[in-house]
Amino acid sequence: MKTPSALRSALPRLLIATGFAATLVQPALAQSTSATTPSGSDDTVVLSPFVVNTSKDVGYVANTTLSGTRTNTDLKDVANPLDVFTSELMRDLSIQDIQDLTLFANGVEPNGAGGFNSDGQEREVWNYNYMQIRGFKTGVLTRNFMDLNAQFEAYNSERVEFSKGPNAILAGSGNPGGTVNYATKTPRLQKSSYAVEHRTSDLGNQRVSTDLNQVLVANKLAIRLNALWEDEESYRHPSYEKQEAWHLTGSWQPWRGTTLTAGYEDRDSKRASPRGIFARDRVTAWKNAGSPIVTAVPSNNNVVVAGLSGTRAASTLGMATLNGTNWVLDSDGVIRNTVRTARGDVISVNTVNLDTAATSLDFPRDVWIGGANGINDSRWKIAEANLTQQITPDLFLEVAYGDTDNRVRQGNSVSRELYVDPNSFGDNTHPGQLYAETRPFWIDRGIYINHFRTTASYNLDLTKRSKWLGKHSFAAAYEHNEREEWQDNGRLTLTQTPTGPVTGSMQSAPAFNIRDYIDIDRGIISQRDLRDLYYSDGIEQGGYVARFVRRESYAAVHTLTKQNSMLGVWQSRWLEDRIVGTIGLREDRRAEAVAPMVLDATGIWVPQTLVAGTPAGSTHPRYAAFTAAPKYDSGISRNYGVVGHATRWLSFAYNHATNFSPRVESRGLFGDYLEPSTGESNDYSMRLSLLDDRVSVTLTHYETSEIGSATNGTGINSPVTAMSEIEDILVDNGLSTVNPIVGVWTTADRTAKGEELLIVGNPTPNWTFRLSANRLVNRQQNLAPDVRAYYAERMPFYEAQNPALISPGETLTLGDRITQAKTAYGLMNTRENVQVFPASEYNAQATAKYSFGRESRFKGLALGGTTSWNSAPIIGYYRNANNTFDAARPVEGADRLRLDFVASYERRLAKRVLWRVQLNVYNVFDNDDPYPIGAVNSADNANFTWVNTTYRPMDGRIITLTNTFTF
């Protein structure tokens, strides 16, 4: 349900009124504005200071930005570090989405490269914008400096800017590591142009895009249509992305100094994301035990196997028993209960489980066993409008509005366990066969955003009175962002058997899993595609009924967030522009309302109170009423920067910035949203402008910190998972009434120190290049203070109970879980002030291109490539016998080197038709060897060896061919 907004209803009137006011003031201002327009050029287009003129970009070199002052400013005069990708650079790199850019941006990594999530997803299912900037996880990406929950796509974008460290000047963001903004394409008023592009690859991928710019009235009115159709697969299959999108914009400049631009985008994306981690090996331990076949499971942990008399402990034969109720639909189409059957157990070294790439198991390394089931299907409808008005030669006004309607369905149910079925009794018919199993789970999200902004800028030149008084520019902005979001979820649950309905609470109803047997020789190497099941009501077969039940409280949500922001920026230029200072202050006030959800009598999460007009019988979270007062947060972000131009070619810059971060989506120990974090950064830069400004060199030393950074507890060895299992045992045995633990997310304080080098240039008309390198050490302190407090409070109570207590259908006792919690707690303690791992300390990328000139017989041809290098990361620390890490004894993985190649050729096929063909070869040397990201010592003594436990896959060589026709 989309809550009506006063702002939404008032916007059309506001834009009309502003436009009408502009028509009234324009004749009166004609005399004053004519000074900015050459004589006899009444139709000259006046560029707004709120718009970057990308025509000034030369090759890979960007010259101006809005990220420093919110008005168009030369990059050389901006103190905060920026990394800008021009349209030509993105074209040569064959960039398509934001995750492609993270491979090339300086100090930026895909989310999976460093602190990957539990599923190892480089392209996160939950938020495709997640990345690491200076080691800090960032998920906010603005579109035209508005927070619209959008995702960058190259088909309708022409520039991307990475701002490093906190930035009080940017909208809707305050991440300490940095933020990202992309600019969409807008109509060009001077000349019509049309382009059609087709891209294919050796994977069979197909992508078609168009860019059609039509001038309707020269220098006054134009429209631009960008469209996309895409059907692509990933190197690591089965995964894919299918997209259909169009974006129509129009620009109208009725007179000099007034521009109205409006646009609408409709984009439909169906994505199955590849996983960046291998399956957990639950097969090799069984194979090492001689591949025993089980003929009976007489008791909890004992089995009878063929060829051996009597019973044996399952653990001695590389197996674990599954004694609880576990209903499955297998790949034969048979529904059965696998209660009291055995399965392969994990193989481990020093209590750390190994994945398939870390063992001798011969399983394809370019396949994710979970299949194409980490889906993210998104539909965006985004409307934008922007009106700029020049009031006087020095005073400009901007009014902008953005509106997002985003619907998402995500499938987050994929298991990373590769099992073996050792059973040959009852209805088990696949003895010795591998299988993957998952319990389907989806989350729906509806996101509605209104973003309103008004900005004024004024230039004041006091040097006309005295050269010592300087030149000054001021900008002030007011922004209002209103975001309503609901989430719904369904976990596949058995609700009926042939004997009748399942009784009791749906919270404890039997799980229902999909099991697919794998036969590598027959090419069956992953789970089936469950997309149709995700969109169904469930399964009905032979009297069995399994439904998607709303069981999860963290994904039964209705929230409304309103943020008001006031921004002021003052830039001063002194001593004939030799010293440029910038001050930026921004105050954010946020109000967040959360509609309460409760468990009903059947164990399903429903709204505590329904809004008026709810359809009869509906309990969807979107109808949950906001009955409690909203929670208010506020904070001030600051930027203080100075650039000193010592000579024409040598400059120095210092930037100090703080930030108030937006609240994150993650929930903490007891299900509450984590509190906003705060950040601070100091950046010291030296800049060189060489060869008549054709080459730019920037070297920056930075020290960035964040207090209260959102952190996934599983990534820092938090004991919260084991403690949650303990709380379940207490509830099941009547020693407690409820398990209060809801989430695994917690907080930590972070510090990042390092250097960034960026060299970009066009030293000759033929050469253009970009070199970036960085050193980063990111550490965490004050890990999980909420978990520590709860651990200290509850552990004495846990230890006072009978350690033999156990939950029905489980094999681990209370004593086992207490041991797990203590082990995790000890490991978490030794992560204090230790470099976050795995993460490379040094990274470098270099991109260069040579274009043959008109005089050459190879004219039209350009050759180039990219090489990237990452130093060997720390992938583990020595594990002591008391289950703590020895931070003084790290182990490193392997460094990585990759080479990409690009060649392009263009020629005119006719007077107005230009053909361009581009060949990209990624990973030229076809290096697909997985690289280690986790290691542990084999024993707790002097004779240990390091054992790599976890690996990440490498994509092999991929070749793409792009044909573009421009006319």
Side-chain angles (χ1 to χ4, degrees):
M1 180 187 67
K2 194 170 185 178
T3 302
S5 167
L7 177 62
R8 175 187 298 277
S9 60
L11 177 71
R13 296 192 297 273
L14 177 63
L15 289 177
I16 293 172
T18 306
F20 180 67
T23 65
L24 295 179
V25 301
Q26 179 60 32
L29 298 174
Q31 182 67 33
S32 61
T33 58
S34 63
T36 64
T37 306
S39 176
S41 302
D42 291 342
D43 291 333
T44 299
V45 176
V46 176
L47 295 177
S48 166
F50 307 113
V51 177
V52 168
N53 182 8
T54 57
S55 65
K56 290 187 176 182
D57 295 343
V58 180
Y60 300 165
V61 179
N63 291 294
T64 61
T65 180
L66 297 180
S67 296
T69 63
R70 289 301 290 272
T71 56
N72 197 6
T73 306
D74 288 344
L75 274 169
K76 66 180 182 179
D77 293 330
V78 175
N80 51 297
L82 297 171
D83 191 0
V84 182
F85 281 75
T86 65
S87 58
E88 182 172 333
L89 177 57
M90 290 191 290
R91 181 192 66 184
D92 289 346
L93 297 175
S94 198
I95 298 296
Q96 293 183 194
D97 57 41
I98 195 65
Q99 296 298 331
D100 291 337
L101 280 169
T102 63
L103 300 175
F104 300 99
N106 197 16
V108 181
E109 293 181 297
N111 181 48
F116 58 86
N117 60 67
S118 57
D119 287 331
Q121 299 155 203
E122 289 187 4
R123 286 161 165 78
E124 174 114 17
V125 171
W126 187 255
N127 185 341
Y128 200 69
N129 292 327
Y130 275 135
M131 67 191 76
Q132 304 275 347
I133 303 179
R134 292 184 174 177
F136 296 91
K137 188 173 183 178
T138 298
V140 176
L141 181 146
T142 57
R143 169 182 169 128
N144 300 320
F145 295 102
M146 290 193 287
D147 188 359
L148 297 176
N149 196 59
Q151 290 181 5
F152 162 80
E153 227 297 339
Y155 92 98
N156 69 335
S157 306
E158 56 187 0
R159 177 187 259 229
V160 179
E161 298 184 6
F162 291 83
S163 175
K164 307 297 183 59
N167 192 330
I169 295 167
L170 299 183
S173 51
N175 296 285
T179 53
V180 188
N181 178 76
Y182 74 96
T184 56
K185 296 177 180 178
T186 56
R188 295 184 291 266
L189 299 175
Q190 296 80 13
K191 182 180 179 181
S192 297
S193 62
Y194 318 97
V196 178
E197 182 174 285
H198 172 259
R199 181 177 301 161
T200 186
S201 76
D202 57 343
L203 298 176
N205 297 339
Q206 304 295 330
R207 176 184 170 96
V208 179
S209 61
T210 63
D211 185 353
L212 311 176
N213 186 86
Q214 179 64 52
V215 175
L216 302 178
V217 179
N219 296 321
K220 289 186 177 295
L221 181 64
I223 59 173
R224 190 169 185 176
L225 175 65
N226 296 99
L228 171 70
W229 179 87
E230 179 183 69
D231 186 353
E232 297 192 342
E233 292 186 3
S234 166
Y235 180 87
R236 193 147 199 249
H237 53 276
S239 55
Y240 52 83
E241 182 172 23
K242 302 176 186 295
Q243 289 197 94
E244 294 181 0
W246 60 270
H247 183 201
L248 178 65
T249 55
S251 284
W252 179 37
Q253 191 171 83
W255 42 75
R256 293 189 307 274
T258 302
T259 303
L260 175 64
T261 300
Y264 181 83
E265 180 179 14
D266 190 317
R267 179 178 166 201
D268 189 8
S269 170
K270 292 181 172 57
R271 179 185 301 124
S273 302
R275 294 304 203 261
I277 201 168
F278 291 95
R280 183 69 70 204
D281 188 344
R282 288 184 175 267
V283 180
T284 298
W286 173 80
K287 292 181 66 176
N288 291 344
S291 303
I293 299 299
V294 176
T295 57
V297 181
S299 61
N300 284 350
N301 296 305
N302 296 317
V303 295
V304 177
V305 300
L308 297 176
S309 59
T311 61
R312 305 295 175 96
S315 59
T316 65
L317 297 172
M319 291 182 286
T321 53
L322 178 64
N323 298 298
T325 301
N326 183 55
W327 293 85
V328 302
L329 170 63
D330 67 22
S331 46
D332 295 330
V334 177
I335 296 176
R336 53 195 173 92
N337 188 356
T338 60
V339 63
R340 202 176 290 279
T341 58
R343 65 183 181 189
D345 202 359
V346 294
I347 183 170
S348 63
V349 54
N350 203 1
T351 74
V352 177
N353 300 336
L354 306 183
D355 66 24
T356 54
T359 65
S360 60
L361 187 64
D362 185 19
F363 188 79
R365 294 181 174 178
D366 61 347
V367 172
W368 172 246
I369 63 163
N373 296 312
I375 71 168
N376 185 318
D377 293 353
S378 297
R379 179 75 179 267
W380 291 271
K381 296 180 179 180
I382 300 177
E384 294 175 279
N386 183 288
L387 175 66
T388 62
Q389 174 66 53
Q390 183 179 14
I391 307 298
T392 72
D394 296 312
L395 178 62
F396 289 81
L397 176 69
E398 176 205 44
V399 178
Y401 177 76
D403 177 282
T404 295
D405 183 344
N406 182 205
R407 300 294 181 94
V408 185
R409 170 154 289 193
Q410 300 161 183
N412 291 10
S413 60
V414 180
S415 169
R416 61 170 297 203
E417 310 293 324
L418 179 63
Y419 293 106
V420 64
D421 185 350
N423 305 284
S424 182
F425 63 94
D427 55 4
N428 293 280
T429 59
H430 295 269
Q433 193 163 344
L434 306 183
Y435 70 89
E437 186 173 293
T438 191
R439 185 179 185 184
F441 173 51
W442 53 254
I443 299 176
D444 276 351
R445 305 177 77 191
I447 302 170
Y448 313 101
I449 297 176
N450 301 310
H451 191 116
F452 169 79
R453 178 179 74 229
T454 181
T455 310
S457 73
Y458 183 73
N459 298 320
L460 179 62
D461 186 357
L462 297 179
T463 59
K464 296 176 182 178
R465 297 186 178 181
S466 171
K467 67 178 182 179
W468 303 104
L469 296 180
K471 304 176 192 175
H472 311 273
S473 61
F474 304 90
Y478 166 76
E479 295 181 273
H480 176 85
N481 185 283
E482 186 171 318
R483 173 179 175 135
E484 181 184 3
E485 177 174 353
W486 55 257
Q487 296 180 25
D488 192 17
N489 71 85
R491 191 176 293 277
L492 198 59
T493 303
L494 187 71
T495 59
Q496 182 171 314
T497 69
T499 60
V502 174
T503 59
S505 171
M506 286 295 101
Q507 290 291 304
S508 58
F512 196 93
N513 294 274
I514 305 298
R515 176 181 292 188
D516 285 315
Y517 286 98
I518 292 171
D519 189 332
I520 298 177
D521 293 337
R522 294 173 53 198
I524 304 173
I525 50 182
S526 68
Q527 284 213 285
R528 74 193 88 168
D529 191 334
L530 301 177
R531 177 176 293 275
D532 290 342
L533 179 58
Y534 281 127
Y535 282 96
S536 72
D537 292 332
I539 296 172
E540 294 185 21
Q541 182 174 312
Y544 293 96
V545 178
R547 297 293 187 212
F548 285 101
V549 176
R550 189 188 304 131
R551 294 168 42 109
E552 312 303 328
S553 61
Y554 66 84
V557 176
H558 187 195
T559 62
L560 177 63
T561 302
K562 298 179 181 180
Q563 176 167 316
N564 293 301
S565 301
M566 297 292 292
L567 166 70
V569 185
W570 172 28
Q571 185 174 80
S572 297
R573 300 169 178 271
W574 309 90
L575 303 178
E576 298 180 338
D577 294 350
R578 288 183 178 273
I579 298 177
V580 182
T582 304
I583 298 176
L585 295 176
R586 175 179 166 187
E587 181 181 31
D588 295 310
R589 295 181 179 271
R590 292 166 57 88
E592 182 179 51
V594 180
M597 303 287 292
V598 296
L599 277 174
D600 69 4
T602 66
I604 297 176
W605 290 96
V606 299
Q608 184 181 71
T609 305
L610 294 168
V611 299
T614 298
S618 177
T619 61
H620 195 285
R622 77 178 74 177
Y623 300 119
F626 299 109
T627 57
K631 182 180 174 93
Y632 292 93
D633 294 308
S634 63
I636 295 178
S637 303
R638 301 173 174 87
N639 266 49
Y640 307 110
V642 61
V643 178
H645 298 295
T647 68
R648 192 185 62 79
W649 52 270
L650 174 63
S651 304
F652 298 93
Y654 168 70
N655 188 69
H656 173 79
T658 65
N659 76 274
F660 163 77
S661 289
R663 184 183 299 275
V664 297
E665 297 174 337
S666 305
R667 299 200 187 195
L669 186 64
F670 305 120
D672 298 326
Y673 289 102
L674 298 180
E675 292 297 314
S677 66
T678 58
E680 182 177 1
S681 186
N682 291 286
D683 300 88
Y684 310 83
S685 301
M686 181 182 72
R687 302 172 180 175
L688 301 175
S689 183
L690 308 174
L691 301 178
D692 294 328
D693 297 334
R694 294 194 302 273
V695 176
S696 171
V697 180
T698 303
L699 176 62
T700 301
H701 170 76
Y702 60 88
E703 297 178 6
T704 306
S705 62
E706 180 181 20
I707 305 300
S709 174
T711 302
N712 190 330
T714 58
I716 58 171
N717 298 103
S718 166
V720 67
T721 300
M723 292 172 65
S724 181
E725 297 288 352
I726 292 172
E727 296 288 355
D728 283 340
I729 293 175
L730 297 179
V731 171
D732 292 337
N733 286 273
L735 298 173
S736 181
T737 58
V738 64
N739 178 357
I741 297 177
V742 175
V744 299
W745 282 83
T746 183
T747 62
D749 300 339
R750 283 195 177 222
T751 59
K753 295 183 180 181
E755 290 75 40
E756 295 171 342
L757 173 67
L758 182 62
I759 307 175
V760 187
N762 298 281
T764 72
N766 304 98
W767 279 103
T768 185
F769 70 90
R770 169 191 164 94
L771 169 65
S772 63
N774 70 86
R775 183 187 72 89
L776 166 65
V777 176
N778 191 297
R779 300 177 185 272
Q780 295 182 106
Q781 304 87 26
N782 191 26
L783 273 69
D786 55 341
V787 176
R788 291 181 187 278
Y790 192 72
Y791 180 93
E793 173 190 345
R794 294 290 285 173
M795 185 54 70
F797 178 73
Y798 297 159
E799 293 179 317
Q801 310 308 313
N802 180 1
L805 292 176
I806 195 169
S807 291
E810 295 293 333
T811 60
L812 296 181
T813 65
L814 176 64
D816 296 330
R817 296 298 188 186
I818 290 176
T819 299
Q820 287 181 343
K822 289 183 174 180
T823 296
Y825 190 77
L827 292 174
M828 184 179 72
N829 284 338
T830 50
R831 282 181 174 264
E832 282 282 336
N833 204 31
V834 172
Q835 180 176 343
V836 177
F837 65 93
S840 298
E841 183 174 357
Y842 298 95
N843 299 272
Q845 303 88 23
T847 300
K849 180 178 69 173
Y850 181 84
S851 303
F852 290 87
R854 295 180 179 178
E855 295 76 18
S856 171
R857 59 179 175 176
F858 301 112
K859 69 177 181 179
L861 177 65
L863 301 175
T866 296
T867 181
S868 59
W869 171 79
N870 308 92
S871 67
I874 292 175
I875 60 174
Y877 292 92
Y878 186 89
R879 187 166 181 160
N880 298 310
N882 65 350
N883 288 312
T884 60
F885 289 127
D886 184 351
R889 303 170 75 180
V891 58
E892 292 186 344
D895 61 354
R896 288 174 286 142
L897 181 67
R898 169 174 151 162
L899 177 66
D900 302 332
F901 172 77
V902 60
S904 64
Y905 175 74
E906 63 181 33
R907 63 172 297 176
R908 290 205 171 273
L909 301 181
K911 183 178 180 179
R912 296 188 57 189
V913 180
L914 178 68
W915 168 55
R916 185 178 188 276
V917 59
Q918 178 172 308
L919 175 71
N920 289 86
V921 183
Y922 304 96
N923 194 357
V924 171
F925 299 117
D926 198 20
N927 176 19
D928 61 356
D929 293 332
Y931 62 93
I933 59 171
V936 70
N937 44 302
S938 62
D940 303 306
N941 56 49
N943 298 319
F944 79 93
T945 57
W946 290 110
V947 179
N948 295 332
T949 61
T950 310
Y951 287 78
R952 289 184 71 81
M954 288 281 286
D955 290 346
R957 183 169 53 235
I958 302 174
I959 303 173
T960 66
L961 185 68
T962 305
N963 282 277
T964 306
F965 297 89
T966 305
F967 49 95

